[in-house]
């Protein structure tokens, strides 16, 4: 007679504590990302709609008319668009390095254990909150106007008055100065990075005879290079999308001439003044490609100058 054996008992194996903690952290991360995923539902449809409209002739009143690559071919021969690109590139490639340099210098000055650091940090950060507002740009236009404070100060030294915001030679540079003035956001990030560098590195370098410039070049810059890279990417993306400053300073015209006609301002004129929404959508996609290209180039170049702990 053959004995019948009972089926084997399968015991559940509990997950290791480390794996349970990771799962809890993952759930918490997905919970915090939930608002972003919910908001994405409101942007997916406009995103693909703009891609479709970029290949159409659409005036907001009639049904879109498919024109294929017509909008993009027209952009190749649009002198005003080329001028807007020149203005945007000049603004970006001058204002971004200057603002980051000023932010790093101020952060290094504040990093030397001065009293009232929180107050100074708040004061220097305040322009970043106000710099893109309409009120500040209006104030800037008045300060640099023919009867503004800048000409009053220059008049003390016998320098004749000049319409800084009404001259095509200087209007854009007043906006560059405004951008540099709003260095507070990268400054706060730089300051946080500087305070994380161990003091023993500088002490050891000083014992070896390294001067201030050598310590800055060989210790400070490599250790904060990831933060420089982060601020650079953020500033580039923000500068390419500049709109309010040029719109307010020129009352929406991009003048004098095309000296303050930023790319986004020209896009706005095409879409909402001339009601050429298809052309404006094509411009928006070209801007996306420009920003993506410069971001990709920066990531490719980062391997040669950005140093991480690993």
């Amino acid at each position: 007679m053959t004995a019948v054996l009972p089926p084997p008992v399968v015991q559940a194996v509990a997950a290791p504590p480390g794996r349970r903690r990771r799962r809890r952290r993952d759930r918490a991360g997905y919970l915090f990302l939930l608002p972003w995923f919910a908001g994405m539902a409101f942007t997916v449809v406009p995103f693909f709609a703009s891609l479709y409209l970029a290949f159409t002739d659409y005036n907001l009143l009639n049904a879109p008319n498919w024109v294929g690559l017509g909008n993009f071919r027209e952009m190749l021969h649009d002198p005003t668009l080329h001028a807007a690109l020149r203005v945007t590139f000049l603004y970006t490639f001058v204002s971004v390095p200057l603002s980051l340099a000023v932010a790093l210098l101020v952060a290094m000055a504040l990093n030397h254990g001065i009293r009232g650091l929180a107050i100074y940090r708040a004061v220097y950060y305040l322009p970043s909150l106000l710099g893109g507002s309409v009120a500040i740009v209006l104030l800037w236009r008045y300060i640099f106007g023919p009867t503004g404070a800048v000409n009053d100060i220059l008049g003390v030294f016998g320098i004749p008055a000049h319409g800084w915001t009404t001259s095509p030679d200087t209007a854009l540079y007043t906006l560059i100065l405004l951008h540099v003035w709003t260095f507070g956001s990268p400054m706060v990030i730089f300051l946080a990075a500087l305070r994380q560098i161990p003091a023993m590195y500088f002490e050891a370098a000083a014992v070896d005879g390294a001067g201030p410039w050598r310590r800055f070049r060989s210790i400070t810059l490599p250790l904060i290079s990831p933060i420089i890279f982060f601020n650079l990417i953020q500033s580039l993306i923000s500068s390419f999308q500049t709109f309010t400053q040029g719109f307010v300073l020129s009352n929406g015209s991009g003048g004098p001439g095309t000296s303050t006609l930023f790319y986004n301002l020209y896009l706005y004129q095409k879409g909402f003044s001339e009601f050429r929404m298809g052309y404006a959508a094509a411009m928006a996609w070209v801007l996306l490609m420009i920003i993506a290209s410069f971001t990709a180039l920066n990531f490719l170049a980062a391997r040669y100058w950005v140093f991480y702990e690993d």
Side-chain angles (χ1 to χ4, degrees):
M1 182 175 180
T2 306
V4 178
L5 299 176
V9 179
V10 179
Q11 295 181 350
V13 178
R19 186 178 300 175
R20 289 200 299 270
R21 284 195 297 269
R22 283 197 299 272
R23 289 175 179 174
R24 283 198 297 268
R25 286 198 300 265
D26 290 345
R27 285 196 294 268
Y30 291 133
L31 183 62
F32 281 109
L33 286 173
L34 186 61
W36 184 86
F37 284 116
M40 190 175 65
F42 296 96
T43 60
V44 169
V45 173
F47 180 84
F48 288 104
S50 69
L51 180 60
Y52 167 72
L53 292 176
F55 298 95
T56 66
D57 181 16
Y58 180 48
N59 62 3
L60 295 177
L61 301 176
N62 301 318
N65 179 34
W66 184 265
V67 295
L69 297 175
N71 289 324
F72 297 95
R73 284 195 294 266
E74 183 180 347
M75 292 171 65
L76 294 175
H77 306 286
D78 187 347
T80 308
L81 183 140
H82 300 162
L85 280 173
R86 286 194 296 270
V87 168
T88 305
F89 278 115
L90 177 62
Y91 175 82
T92 298
F93 294 139
V94 174
S95 64
V96 169
L98 285 177
S99 63
L100 292 182
V102 172
L104 181 56
L105 288 174
V106 175
M108 292 181 65
L110 295 178
N111 192 43
H112 286 291
I114 62 174
R115 283 187 176 181
L117 175 61
I119 297 175
Y120 285 106
R121 188 168 51 199
V123 169
Y124 284 122
Y125 184 73
L126 186 61
S128 291
L129 300 177
L130 305 175
S133 66
V134 174
I136 292 298
V137 181
L138 288 173
L139 178 62
W140 209 256
R141 186 172 68 177
Y142 173 76
I143 291 174
F144 285 90
T147 59
V150 172
N151 281 325
D152 291 341
I153 295 173
L154 295 177
V156 176
F157 302 96
I159 301 176
H162 180 74
W164 302 96
T165 59
T166 57
S167 171
D169 297 327
T170 57
L172 180 62
Y173 293 99
T174 61
L175 294 181
I176 290 175
L177 186 60
L178 174 60
H179 182 86
V180 174
W181 179 62
T182 58
F183 62 86
S185 181
M187 182 271 297
V188 170
I189 299 175
F190 279 139
L191 182 59
L194 290 171
R195 297 179 74 84
Q196 297 301 315
I197 301 177
M200 63 180 180
Y201 293 166
F202 299 104
E203 295 169 357
V207 170
D208 290 339
W213 169 248
R214 183 59 184 274
R215 293 197 297 268
F216 172 75
R217 184 169 58 88
S218 301
I219 299 176
T220 304
L221 283 182
L223 290 179
I224 67 169
S225 58
I227 306 302
I228 297 175
F229 177 66
F230 172 80
N231 280 333
L232 176 62
I233 294 296
Q234 292 288 100
S235 299
L236 278 175
I237 294 174
S238 175
S239 295
F240 274 120
Q241 299 180 74
T242 300
F243 169 79
T244 304
Q245 293 87 331
F247 182 86
V248 175
L249 191 74
S250 64
N251 293 320
S253 67
T258 58
S259 59
T260 60
L261 184 63
F262 292 103
Y263 190 92
N264 268 359
L265 177 54
Y266 187 53
L267 188 155
Y268 169 83
Q269 291 176 354
K270 283 293 183 183
F272 296 97
S273 296
E274 302 179 18
F275 297 104
R276 297 194 59 191
M277 192 57 68
Y279 192 82
M283 288 183 61
W285 277 91
V286 169
L287 179 61
L288 174 63
M289 293 300 103
I290 292 174
I291 294 176
S293 299
F294 278 97
T295 303
L297 286 175
N298 275 288
F299 271 95
L300 290 175
R303 67 182 66 178
Y304 300 107
W305 66 274
V306 179
F307 304 97
Y308 297 97
E309 292 184 0
D310 54 355

